[in-house]
Structures are given as C-alpha cells and as structure tokens.
C-alpha cells in the first residue's frame, strides 16, 4: 500500500483549512464578473450551488439574476460584506439559517431568513413583500427594512440580548415571543403586535397604526417608552421604566389592562377617543402622571405620584372612583 508523503499530507491539510467550500459551504468569488448567480465560474469549485446548499459571501456581491435557487441551507455573509440580490423575477427565497456580519439587500417577493444569527453590526433590506424569521440572536445592532408585507418573527429575539434593534417597514410587524435588546425602534405603516414581553433598558419607541403588547420593560437603564400610533393602542402587560418617561399616544382608543409604572419618570397618556384604565399608574421622584383626555376606569385603580410630581386628569373622569395621590 502506498502512503502519502509528509509534504503531500501537509498540502492537503492547508487546502482543507483555507478552502471556503469546506468551511462555510459554497463560496462566491465573482471571478467571471457578470454578477450572475447561475454562472458556475463565479463560485469556488466552479459550480452553481444546488437548492438547499450552504452558501457563503466573504466579499461584496451585486447579483443580478433570474435563476437564484429558491432555498438555501445556511447563508453566511462574513467579514462585513455587502450582498445584493436583484432578481428579474419575483421569486421567494428561503434559508434555514442566515449568519450575517454585513448587509443583505434583496428584491424577492417573500424572504424567509430562518434563524438569523448576528456576527456583527448587520442589516437586511428587502423591497419585496413579506419578511419571516424563526428567531434573531447575537449581541450586535441589527436593522431590518422591509416592503409592504408583514414582518413576522415567530421565535425569541435576543436570547443573547441584541444591541440597538430597528425595524422600518411599509407593512405591519408581528412577533410571537420575547424581545431582549439594548433598545428597540419600530416604524410601521401598518399594525404592530408584540406577542411576548419586551426588555429594553435603552428604551423603546413605536409608530404605526394599531399597537398591542404583552409587556414593555426599560428598567435597568435610562431609556423611556414612547408609543405614537394612529389607531387603537392596547397594553395587555405591565409597562415599567426607571428614570425614563413613558409616553403613550393613540389617535384611537388607549387601553391600559395592566399597570404602568416608573421609578421617577413622567407618565403621559393621550387618546383622541377614550383612555380605558384597568390597572394602577404610579411614579415617584419628580415624575408626574397626566391623562390628557377623557378617561374611563374599568376597575378600582390607584393613580399615584409618590414624589413631588402632580397627578392631572385634563378630561372627564367616568366609571369607578379613582384613588388619586400626589
């Protein structure tokens, strides 16, 4: 039996270690220069990735093609690469995992990113319709810009807390689990529905049409909580801050089904329709509590400013008698 010489074994080892095909999947090198996904010579190994293959972009890429495979295993964007997929037909694109340290821009109709893993400050910009993800994890800043469909994230966001998390969409936003980030900034032309508790010591802001939440907590930091929506705003979980102000504005009906509290920040509530209050609203320090419009009490509640701040009802007060302390 012949044996490999030591130089040959070392050569094989070096090839194995440096080849992106072995390490991350089939890697783009763009050597043809025509920016086409379906040009085999643009890939390490000179073959187009088959459907379901793992694919890596270690360099910038601006791909124009109608023949991108509809499914990818693990999509890796590494080393701060900026990748653009401009498709001449509105295919959907599905990944099991998107590992990203850079940016991804797509024009696909529907983008399913699977489990999004942040390896650095990253962004995804899709000009199509719907964006779906199973989860988002990693300790970096992340910006998602989406088209007119729904942003839908089914699992946890920030099992390791994200940095600054931003979504800008022409559609709506739906999350079905917890969000854990330094801060969250949501801008939507549609409805925002948060199906899990949100923990954001750096602060939370949201703008859109209707808004529902199972809890917002900016305690542990200086951030406040600001909701400014044109439709009904419904809070089905506690809203908590430390020194940050809590400002809840609705051009429809504002409904507080759980307590709103701050250690020393101001609490300010505005609704063009009515404000339904079913739980306590309390603050301390120099914080004040202000209801700017008509209020209906749906339960016996305490409205309490334990420090030097005032408690003000600037509209009518109906329903169950309130206990007001300031």
């Amino acid at each position: 039996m012949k044996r490999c010489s030591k130089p040959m074994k070392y050569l094989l080892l070096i090839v194995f270690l440096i080849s992106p095909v072995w390490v991350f999947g089939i890697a783009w090198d763009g050597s043809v220069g025509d920016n086409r996904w379906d040009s085999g010579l643009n890939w390490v190994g000179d073959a187009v990735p088959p459907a379901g293959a793992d694919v890596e972009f270690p360099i910038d890429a601006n791909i124009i093609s109608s023949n991108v495979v509809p499914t990818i295993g693990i999509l890796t964007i590494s080393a701060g690469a900026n990748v653009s997929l401009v498709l001449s037909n509105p295919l959907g694109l599905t990944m099991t995992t998107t590992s990203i340290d850079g940016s991804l821009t797509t024009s696909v109709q529907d983008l399913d990113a699977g489990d999004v893993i942040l390896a650095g400050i990253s962004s995804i910009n899709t000009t199509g319709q719907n964006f779906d993800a199973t989860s988002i994890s990693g300790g970096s800043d992340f910006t998602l810009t989406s088209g007119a469909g729904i942003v839908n994230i089914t699992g946890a966001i920030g099992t390791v807390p994200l940095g600054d998390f931003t979504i800008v969409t022409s559609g709506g936003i739906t999350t079905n689990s917890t969000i854990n980030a330094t801060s969250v900034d949501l801008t939507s032309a549609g409805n925002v529905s948060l199906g899990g508790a949100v923990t954001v010591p750096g602060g939370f802001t949201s703008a859109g049409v209707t808004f529902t939440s199972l809890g917002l907590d900016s305690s542990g930091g200086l951030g406040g909580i600001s909701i400014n929506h044109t439709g009904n705003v419904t809070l089905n979980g506690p809203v908590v801050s430390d020194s940050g102000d809590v400002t809840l504005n609705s051009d429809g009906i504002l409904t507080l089904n759980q307590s709103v509290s701050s250690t020393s920040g101001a609490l300010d509530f505005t609704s063009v329709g009515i404000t339904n209050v079913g739980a306590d609203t309390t603050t301390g320090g120099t914080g004040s509590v202000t209801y700017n419009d008509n209020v209906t009490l749906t339960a016996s509640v305490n409205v309490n400013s334990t420090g030097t701040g005032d408690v003000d009802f600037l509209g009518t007060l109906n329903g169950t008698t309130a206990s007001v302390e300031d």
Side-chain angles (χ1 to χ4, degrees):
M1 179 183 295
K2 295 183 177 180
R3 299 179 180 273
C4 292
S5 65
K6 286 186 178 180
M8 178 61 71
K9 288 195 292 185
Y10 293 150
L11 177 61
L12 291 173
L13 178 60
I14 291 171
V15 170
F16 177 82
L17 289 175
I18 67 174
S19 171
V21 175
W22 290 103
V23 179
F24 294 114
I26 302 173
W28 172 269
D29 60 23
S31 57
V32 176
D34 62 359
N35 295 322
R36 292 191 64 85
W37 180 286
D38 52 356
S39 294
L41 294 178
N42 280 325
W43 300 94
V44 173
D46 296 338
V48 177
D54 296 344
V55 174
E56 185 210 4
F57 290 91
I59 59 175
D60 292 351
N62 184 16
I63 297 174
I64 303 172
S65 179
S66 61
N67 295 315
V68 175
V69 294
T71 59
I72 296 173
I74 300 172
L75 173 64
T76 300
I77 298 174
S78 57
N82 300 306
V83 176
S84 174
L85 297 176
V86 179
L87 307 184
S88 58
N89 61 329
L91 292 173
L93 185 59
T94 299
M95 285 81 80
T96 58
T97 302
T98 301
S99 176
I100 185 168
D101 177 12
S103 69
L104 171 65
T105 300
T106 77
S107 61
V108 295
Q109 183 74 11
D110 297 310
L111 177 65
D112 187 342
D115 291 307
V116 178
I117 301 172
L118 306 177
I121 296 174
S122 301
S123 65
I124 294 177
N125 185 341
T126 174
T127 58
Q129 291 291 314
N130 300 316
F131 173 88
D132 291 278
T134 306
S135 65
I136 302 175
S137 62
S140 302
D141 297 348
F142 179 58
T143 299
L144 171 64
T145 305
S146 180
I150 301 297
V151 173
N152 182 46
I153 304 168
T154 57
I157 300 170
T159 48
V160 173
L162 274 58
D164 297 328
F165 178 41
T166 302
I167 298 178
V168 179
T169 177
S170 299
I173 300 170
T174 300
T175 65
N176 296 317
S177 188
T178 56
I179 301 176
N180 200 338
T182 299
S183 69
V184 170
D185 185 356
L186 308 178
T187 302
S188 167
N191 301 328
V192 175
S193 176
L194 306 181
V198 178
T199 303
V200 280
F204 176 92
T205 61
S206 181
V209 185
T210 67
F211 180 90
T212 59
S213 170
L214 290 181
L216 304 168
D217 188 346
S218 68
S219 62
L222 301 178
I225 295 170
S226 176
I227 298 171
N228 189 1
H229 279 246
T230 60
N232 295 339
V233 172
T234 304
L235 299 173
N236 293 320
V239 177
V240 182
S241 79
D242 278 349
S243 59
D245 295 340
V246 176
T247 303
L248 308 179
N249 293 329
S250 167
D251 288 349
I253 297 172
L254 174 60
T255 301
L256 311 178
N257 290 322
Q258 295 290 328
S259 61
V260 179
S261 63
S262 178
T263 302
S264 59
L267 308 181
D268 190 271
F269 309 100
T270 300
S271 62
V272 172
I274 195 80
T275 300
N276 296 315
V277 181
D280 297 347
T281 51
T282 61
T283 189
T286 59
S288 58
V289 181
T290 304
Y291 286 95
N292 293 290
D293 300 286
N294 297 338
V295 172
T296 295
L297 303 179
T298 59
S300 295
V301 303
N302 290 321
V303 180
N304 190 356
S305 176
T306 61
T308 59
D310 296 328
V311 173
D312 293 306
F313 288 87
L314 303 182
T316 61
L317 177 60
N318 303 317
T320 307
T321 302
S323 171
V324 179
E325 302 175 24
D326 65 4

